[in-house]
């Protein structure tokens, strides 16, 4: 029963993080971050024994703006923890495919029926852990009545232009939204912080209810929601920005906010919903795989969480997609929550904060660790290797091992290591040269993406081809 094991999963991930070197980790009591990990689950032949292993771990809350994106694929665009963990897992899968094609063997893959294709071993599956609900749609969570009310009641201003006594229905959280918007959600991480005084809490979170008055002067409680800083994609419904539950449009695609300028990165909720149909292996690895790879389970750490909202964001939006090519299906994960909180969450950082430490802020670095033999650790900031000089920007020394260019070259080395007679049919075209060429040649994946886009996500922004034409 996975409910029993959700805490075991969280514990394994937090322990793996604690074993990593200090570089790129948040400063205790002053900086917070988010953690995500991919676990490989291997069941014993008797089905009773289960081995769980972290194969990729990521931390991060940032995202670069669209003007910082690179036509050579050498910048890491999205450094949210879930994306980092998934990209690190791609590195791990490429290494496992190397073992498979070279005859050394793999703990993950075995030969499939089609020429040059591989499939998951029968008792192997993958699980995704994230220490917090994904940014975007999954973070638009109703606040429960049991949660404390850290702010004084707000007076209704319906029909009036002015507010009295600073009782603006726009909450204080919005004033700081731009400060922490790289994460893509403001969603009041501090709202469960029972140990802070109401005066302190009101600076970082809003009330769980908004009070409105009627003609008798009596207060009526209006339920409120945790909010996301991720913005609705252009061309669709906008957020109504009404008080309480009417602030957001639920179920819509959203892009992550950057530092002062928009990004082209879709929210983690949207990306994870997509993985539930296309798989998390991406277009390149689909060349080698007979079937897409799906997360069987998703575990979320202790944080504001709502099962119905998670179901809507990650499952329901894609539930009716049909006519997918062979090897693809609607395969959403089982959704579970652990009771263990990440020690470097925003709420925990606020509890540990000491006077004189300065303002609490999200950690600027992103950490990737994956189970590969060469350079398992990759620490980045602003899309490049952590600590590189400006002079080194644009050189191989500055590139993250997770950027498009590096993953593409790792994939090309896998293609070179594959015996020509064992190449998948989709890779037997002489004209394949650029990253774009190789992605487009993954025809089944592109067909599945077309079906998903047309049926569930017609407003998903299209990638700029000019950013994908590198070799």
């Amino acid at each position: 029963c996975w409910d029993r094991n959700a805490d075991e999963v969280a514990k394994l991930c937090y322990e793996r993080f604690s074993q990593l070197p200090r570089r790129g980790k948040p400063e205790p009591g002053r900086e917070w971050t988010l953690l995500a990990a991919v676990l490989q689950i291997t069941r014993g032949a008797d089905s009773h024994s289960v081995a769980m292993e972290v194969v990729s771990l990521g931390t991060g809350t940032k995202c670069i703006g669209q003007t910082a994106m690179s036509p050579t694929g050498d910048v890491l665009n999205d450094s949210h923890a879930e994306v980092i963990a998934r990209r690190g897992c791609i590195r791990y899968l490429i290494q496992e495919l190397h073992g498979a094609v070279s005859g050394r063997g793999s703990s993950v893959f075995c030969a499939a029926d089609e020429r040059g294709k591989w499939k998951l071993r029968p008792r192997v599956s993958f699980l995704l852990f994230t220490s917090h609900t994904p940014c975007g749609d999954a973070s638009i969570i109703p606040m429960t009545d049991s949660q404390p009310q850290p702010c004084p009641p707000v007076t209704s201003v319906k029909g009036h232009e002015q507010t009295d006594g600073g009782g603006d229905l726009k909450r204080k959280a919005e004033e700081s939204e731009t400060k922490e918007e790289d994460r893509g959600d403001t969603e009041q991480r501090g709202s469960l912080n029972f140990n802070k005084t109401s005066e302190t809490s009101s600076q970082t979170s809003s009330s769980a209810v908004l009070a409105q008055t009627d003609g008798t002067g009596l207060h009526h409680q209006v339920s409120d929601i945790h909010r996301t800083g991720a913005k609705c994609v252009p061309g669709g419904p906008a957020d109504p920005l009404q008080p309480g539950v009417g602030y957001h449009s639920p179920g819509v695609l959203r892009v992550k906010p950057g530092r002062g300028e928009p990004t082209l990165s879709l929210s983690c909720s949207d990306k994870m919903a997509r993985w539930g149909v296309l798989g998390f292996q991406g277009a390149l690895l689909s060349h080698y795989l007979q079937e897409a790879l799906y997360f069987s389970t998703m575990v979320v750490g202790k944080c504001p969480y709502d099962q119905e909202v998670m179901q809507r964001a990650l499952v329901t939006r894609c539930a009716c997609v049909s006519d997918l090519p062979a090897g693809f299906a609607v395969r959403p994960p089982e959704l579970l929550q652990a009771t263990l909180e990440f020690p470097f969450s925003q709420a925990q950082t606020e509890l540990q904060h000491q006077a004189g430490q300065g303002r609490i802020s999200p950690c600027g670095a992103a950490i990737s660790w994956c189970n590969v033999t060469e350079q398992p650790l990759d620490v980045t900031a602003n899309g490049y290797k952590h600590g590189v000089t400006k002079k080194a920007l644009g050189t191989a020394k500055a590139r993250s091992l997770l950027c498009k260019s590096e993953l593409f070259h790792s994939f090309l080395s896998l293609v070179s290591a594959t015996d020509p007679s064992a190449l998948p049919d989709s890779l037997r075209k002489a004209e394949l040269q650029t990253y774009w060429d190789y992605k487009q040649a993954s025809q089944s994946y592109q067909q599945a993406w077309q079906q998903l886009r047309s049926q569930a996500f017609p407003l998903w922004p299209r990638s700029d081809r000019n950013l994908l034409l590198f070799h």
Side-chain angles (χ1 to χ4, degrees):
C1 172
W2 272 113
D3 289 300
R4 202 169 55 240
N5 292 341
D7 281 357
E8 201 181 324
V9 168
K11 187 164 174 277
L12 208 57
C13 296
Y14 299 158
E15 283 174 355
R16 178 68 261 185
F17 176 79
S18 70
Q19 290 160 7
L20 296 178
R22 179 79 196 86
R23 195 152 180 253
K25 288 185 175 179
E27 182 188 319
R30 195 184 73 78
E31 293 181 316
W32 57 271
T33 194
L34 301 164
L35 177 144
V38 177
L39 282 74
Q40 182 175 323
I41 313 297
T42 309
R43 296 185 182 277
D46 56 3
S47 291
H48 295 305
S49 60
V50 177
M52 290 194 296
E53 179 189 11
V54 177
V55 294
S56 175
L57 178 146
T59 70
T61 65
K62 305 284 184 178
C63 210
I64 66 164
Q66 60 187 81
T67 56
M69 293 171 75
S70 166
T72 58
D74 65 348
V75 181
L76 190 55
N77 298 332
D78 187 340
S79 294
H80 283 215
E82 299 93 325
V83 175
I84 296 279
R86 180 253 170 192
R87 293 184 81 81
C89 186
I90 299 298
R91 290 187 67 204
Y92 171 70
L93 295 174
I94 289 175
Q95 176 180 275
E96 287 297 309
L97 282 168
H98 258 288
V101 302
S102 68
R104 289 195 310 273
S106 163
S107 67
V108 177
F109 298 113
C110 60
D113 311 329
E114 295 175 47
R115 178 169 66 174
K117 296 278 193 176
W118 302 85
K119 63 181 180 182
L120 270 189
R121 288 190 172 278
R123 288 186 286 275
V124 173
S125 61
F126 289 95
L127 174 152
L128 180 67
F129 172 80
T130 176
S131 66
H132 204 280
T133 44
C135 69
D137 199 47
S139 284
I140 304 172
I141 300 170
M143 291 185 182
T144 61
D145 292 336
S146 62
Q147 288 172 346
Q149 184 175 331
C151 307
V154 183
T155 310
S156 171
V157 291
K158 212 168 188 178
H160 297 279
E161 290 295 314
Q162 300 289 320
T163 64
D164 58 303
D168 187 347
L169 282 171
K170 283 205 165 189
R171 307 175 311 182
K172 286 219 173 194
E174 286 172 82
E175 294 167 13
S176 63
E177 189 166 328
T178 51
K179 295 175 191 168
E180 294 172 3
E181 68 180 0
D182 295 288
R183 159 60 187 162
D185 53 32
T186 53
E187 96 300 272
Q188 281 63 65
R189 287 193 179 82
S191 64
L192 298 184
N193 189 348
F194 302 148
N195 298 329
K196 293 278 186 180
T197 65
S198 55
E199 184 181 347
T200 315
S201 297
S202 69
Q203 294 166 8
T204 56
S205 65
S206 76
S207 63
V209 291
L210 294 175
Q212 294 189 340
T213 55
D214 60 15
T216 64
L218 293 172
H219 288 292
H220 296 286
Q221 293 191 333
V222 180
S223 62
D224 202 355
I225 53 168
H226 294 277
R227 296 185 186 171
T228 179
K231 312 301 180 192
C232 300
V233 295
D239 284 323
L241 309 185
Q242 297 295 316
V245 292
Y247 189 84
H248 281 308
S249 292
V252 303
L253 292 172
R254 295 174 177 275
V255 288
K256 295 166 180 170
R259 304 189 72 178
E261 67 160 333
T263 77
L264 296 179
S265 298
L266 273 288
S267 75
C268 288
S269 293
D270 300 332
K271 290 185 175 185
M272 290 158 76
R274 187 171 98 152
W275 298 342
V277 178
L278 301 185
F280 63 85
Q281 75 291 329
L284 296 183
L285 290 194
S286 293
H287 283 289
Y288 276 89
L289 300 177
Q290 188 163 290
E291 296 175 351
L293 304 181
Y294 299 97
F295 292 119
S296 61
T297 311
M298 180 179 162
V299 177
V300 178
K302 184 183 176 184
C303 64
Y305 180 92
D306 186 284
Q307 187 77 9
E308 282 184 28
V309 172
M310 287 284 287
Q311 190 77 16
R312 176 193 73 206
L314 304 186
V315 179
T316 313
R317 293 191 293 171
C318 300
C320 296
V321 174
S322 59
D323 298 321
L324 293 165
F328 294 87
V330 178
R331 289 269 304 276
E334 182 184 3
L335 304 173
L336 301 172
Q337 188 182 27
T339 63
L340 303 178
E341 187 170 5
F342 182 43
F344 289 93
S345 69
Q346 185 173 356
Q348 284 298 309
T349 302
E350 285 170 358
L351 286 174
Q352 295 156 18
H353 185 65
Q354 304 288 319
Q357 272 192 293
R359 188 176 144 267
I360 291 173
S361 61
C363 180
I367 301 172
S368 167
W369 175 88
C370 57
N371 186 15
V372 295
T373 50
E374 289 183 36
Q375 296 180 278
L377 198 62
D378 186 65
V379 184
T380 54
N382 300 314
Y384 290 103
K385 272 257 199 301
H386 188 263
V388 297
T389 60
K390 277 192 175 179
K391 192 176 171 184
L393 293 182
T395 67
K397 198 187 291 185
R399 287 201 295 260
S400 163
L401 298 169
L402 302 182
C403 72
K404 285 186 175 71
S405 173
E406 287 290 324
L407 288 183
F408 182 42
H409 289 132
S410 295
F411 175 77
L412 291 179
S413 77
L414 169 65
V415 175
S416 299
T418 308
D419 189 282
S421 65
L423 268 179
D425 290 347
S426 56
L427 291 175
R428 292 169 179 264
K429 299 171 183 173
E431 69 273 14
L432 297 180
Q433 292 182 342
T434 65
Y435 179 72
W436 168 269
D437 293 337
Y438 277 88
K439 280 177 72 92
Q440 291 304 306
S442 189
Q443 287 185 332
S444 291
Y445 183 90
Q446 296 302 340
Q447 287 165 15
W449 184 201
Q450 183 52 43
Q451 294 291 0
L452 174 61
R453 188 195 287 276
S454 62
Q455 296 177 49
F457 294 140
L459 294 174
W460 193 292
R462 293 186 181 273
S463 301
D464 181 353
R465 184 175 169 172
N466 291 322
L467 295 174
L468 306 172
L469 294 177
F470 52 89
H471 289 77

